[in-house]
Amino acid sequence: MELETAETDGHLRESSSRKKRKRKEGKTRMTTKEEKNPTVSIAVAGFIIDNAQSLELATLLAGQVARAATIFRIDEVVVFDNRASSDVDTVVRPGHDGNESESGAEFLTMILRYLETPQYLRRRLFPMHKSLKFVGLLPPLDAPHHLRKHEWCSFREGVTLDVNPPNSKGTLVDVGLNKNVVIEEVLEPGKRITVAMGDNRGAEIDGFKKAVDSSSPRDQIGMYWGYKVRYCSNLSSVIRNCPYKGGYDHIIGTSEHGLVVASSELVIPSFRHLLIVFGGLGGLEENIEEDNNLKGKNVHDVFNSYLNTCPLQGSRTIRTEEAIFISLQYFQEPIKRAEQLCNGK
């Protein structure tokens, strides 16, 4: 009897141990899957802005780039300048006084950041600036994270306030609702954060909330949560300063001199971080030639693929903002196939 009981207890412990291992393995698989979520970035030559004949037209051009990035669910937009060399990329501050000379790339960077920011946060994060004079003319991005007051979501973008929360520690955060929320973390004021609002719609304001990584909405509920913006001094720094661990594992250049392949026949290998690059008026060949870090290299040294996404163009030129729309549509199916390959489907 004692032997039977011991055996039973042993089976129970073994069964319990197996269940724990399965739960642990399940969590590991989930974490691994989340880490493998592929990203798509685009890099745009910011000096295309320099050819705009007025501030109004420059703003409209920037708005087209922002709309394309949002429509096609781009994760990162990199704006690169045409500086021959630079050890440190300029940091474009949304709140500088506007009296400094500003390159087209810096202007484009600011407009892209402004448009990606939810409307209810812009006043706090973007002080008055001459570059923002005509942004009111642009159509809204209407991205999923640009929530209205009456809309509920398990995540919201917010900005930390310089006000102590009543009767509690933590940080008061404006998330675009009638009432500010409190997070447990103590953060400096004026910082944009993503806030997990919880699953209970009825209690969305009450209680402590949690600041989470900006990738959480995408990883946890599959929701597109806008694009990041990065400024680089030249083309080589776009690749060299990639924010993703391991860098971009597949880089595509676009040009009228590129290889012509039908979208249905294009094979993009399984990737974690894909980068698609769009040059300026002189094309990517000129961008490579003017970059001291790329001297002596050609397009095939810099890019894994060099493609012509619109071979039957009727106009002598395709403007960069047009090329972005055309190319991102062209890449939709090949990217989808590559992502399915990455996920093992």
Side-chain angles (χ1 to χ4, degrees):
M1 185 70 176
E2 290 179 359
L3 179 62
E4 183 179 346
T5 304
E7 288 178 351
T8 302
D9 290 343
H11 286 311
L12 288 173
R13 283 195 297 271
E14 185 179 351
S15 176
S16 176
S17 178
R18 280 200 302 268
K19 286 180 181 179
K20 287 180 180 178
R21 281 201 304 271
K22 286 181 179 179
R23 283 198 296 269
K24 186 176 181 180
E25 288 170 1
K27 289 180 181 179
T28 303
R29 284 195 297 269
M30 185 179 297
T31 302
T32 304
K33 183 178 180 181
E34 288 177 356
E35 290 175 350
K36 286 186 177 180
N37 277 338
T39 66
V40 180
S41 302
I42 62 173
V44 184
F47 36 97
I48 60 173
I49 294 291
D50 297 332
N51 295 300
Q53 296 175 331
S54 67
L55 179 61
E56 185 175 355
L57 291 175
T59 304
L60 292 172
L61 191 162
Q64 287 181 284
V65 177
R67 285 284 298 172
T70 304
I71 289 170
F72 291 101
R73 299 170 64 94
I74 296 301
D75 299 289
E76 178 196 31
V77 181
V78 189
V79 181
F80 63 94
D81 225 319
N82 61 345
R83 300 180 185 182
S85 63
S86 178
D87 294 331
V88 180
D89 290 324
T90 302
V91 177
V92 182
R93 303 184 307 277
H96 71 69
D97 59 17
N99 294 322
E100 308 168 30
S101 60
E102 186 178 54
S103 71
E106 292 170 327
F107 172 86
L108 178 57
T109 301
M110 176 176 288
I111 300 298
L112 289 173
R113 286 175 175 166
Y114 180 88
L115 291 176
E116 187 278 333
T117 302
Q119 292 90 327
Y120 58 85
L121 298 182
R122 291 173 181 170
R123 187 181 295 273
R124 296 185 187 276
L125 296 175
F126 291 86
M128 295 289 290
H129 191 281
K130 64 178 182 180
S131 296
L132 301 175
K133 182 178 180 180
F134 294 109
V135 288
L137 298 175
L138 299 177
L141 298 188
D142 208 20
H145 63 303
H146 290 195
L147 296 159
R148 284 76 167 176
K149 284 186 177 182
H150 66 277
E151 292 180 303
W152 181 87
C153 182
S154 51
F155 296 93
R156 269 185 174 267
E157 288 296 283
V159 62
T160 55
L161 303 177
D162 191 14
V163 179
N164 293 326
N167 304 321
S168 66
K169 296 181 179 180
T171 306
L172 208 59
V173 183
D174 178 3
V175 291
L177 297 172
N178 291 323
K179 182 180 177 182
N180 297 323
V181 300
V182 180
I183 60 171
E184 296 178 350
E185 300 89 338
V186 177
L187 301 175
E188 60 181 322
K191 182 180 177 65
R192 176 175 165 179
I193 60 173
T194 303
V195 179
M197 301 297 292
D199 298 324
N200 188 348
R201 181 169 184 166
E204 63 178 23
I205 299 179
D206 300 328
F208 280 108
K209 306 305 173 188
K210 185 178 180 182
V212 296
D213 190 272
S214 59
S215 63
S216 296
R218 181 172 181 249
D219 292 339
Q220 295 183 24
I221 59 177
M223 179 179 285
Y224 176 64
W225 208 248
Y227 53 78
K228 302 290 185 184
V229 185
R230 184 162 62 94
Y231 169 87
C232 290
S233 55
N234 49 34
L235 178 58
S236 60
S237 63
V238 172
I239 302 169
R240 184 177 63 250
N241 298 330
C242 174
Y244 300 113
K245 185 178 180 180
Y248 302 110
D249 45 11
H250 194 73
I251 304 173
I252 300 175
T254 60
S255 169
E256 62 179 322
H257 305 299
L259 182 67
V260 176
V261 182
S263 176
S264 59
E265 298 175 2
L266 178 65
V267 177
I268 297 177
S270 175
F271 65 86
R272 290 192 64 199
H273 307 295
L274 172 68
L275 174 66
I276 304 170
V277 187
F278 301 90
L281 289 178
L284 289 172
E285 295 91 348
E286 183 178 282
N287 301 145
I288 292 173
E289 185 178 341
E290 293 179 351
D291 192 328
N292 287 345
N293 296 316
L294 299 176
K295 288 294 184 184
K297 295 190 176 184
N298 60 42
V299 293
H300 301 292
D301 296 322
V302 178
F303 305 108
N304 301 111
S305 305
Y306 199 59
L307 301 172
N308 182 351
T309 59
C310 187
L312 300 177
Q313 63 190 69
S315 173
R316 288 193 183 93
T317 58
I318 295 179
R319 298 170 65 88
T320 302
E321 64 271 26
E322 297 168 338
I324 293 173
F325 269 105
I326 294 168
S327 299
L328 292 183
Q329 177 57 45
Y330 166 90
F331 286 119
Q332 282 294 284
E333 286 303 316
I335 288 175
K336 184 178 179 181
R337 292 194 294 269
E339 289 177 340
Q340 290 175 341
L341 182 65
C342 179
N343 294 329
K345 294 180 179 179

